[in-house]
Amino acid sequence: MLAIEVADDGLVELVVDGAITRADFDNVVTVLEGAFARHGKVNVVEVVRKFGGITPHLWWQDVKWSFGHLDRFGRCAMVTDSGWIGPVARVMAAMLPIELKTFGMGEMDAARAWARGAA
């Protein structure tokens, strides 16, 4: 499951909790494109509770779409207690033109504040 919400100030919150389906992906793309239209750039809090997988084809669609829209993202706070997701996110952040910072599951308020631009 992949859920998405957009706050009035444009902060996007994504929650991953299980396998990601085509319907999940399509919904997120639709919501994000609406957020881009309303807010220009958006900041994101991505919460990974449990990653249950994604098909290789859908993963590739996600990579292509995401890289085509990198200039529309500002800060990304990755929130997870998963042992491997945080380190992988930090490695990827070094190669991307966005600010990315990882947080533990108990740091949601700090993640939201940082994503919104607070120190």
Side-chain angles (χ1 to χ4, degrees), residues 7-98:
D8 291 339
D9 66 358
L11 181 70
V12 174
E13 287 200 26
L14 292 164
V15 177
V16 177
D17 196 5
I20 298 171
T21 67
R22 180 66 198 205
D24 293 334
F25 174 78
D26 290 343
N27 179 57
V28 165
V29 166
T30 299
V31 172
L32 281 172
E33 288 178 349
F36 296 152
R38 282 188 309 279
H39 302 285
K41 270 192 169 187
V42 298
N43 295 317
V44 178
V45 174
E46 183 171 0
V47 180
V48 181
R49 292 184 182 139
K50 177 182 174 191
F51 180 65
I54 186 170
T55 66
H57 175 74
L58 191 53
W59 174 79
W60 183 241
Q61 293 289 325
D62 180 35
V63 168
K64 290 190 306 184
W65 187 89
S66 297
F67 274 83
H69 295 82
L70 282 178
D71 62 331
R72 307 306 289 280
F73 293 97
R75 288 182 163 193
C76 180
M78 175 70 65
V79 182
T80 187
D81 283 341
S82 175
W84 64 273
I85 293 174
V88 169
R90 286 188 293 277
V91 168
M92 291 300 298
M95 298 180 275
L96 298 174
I98 62 172

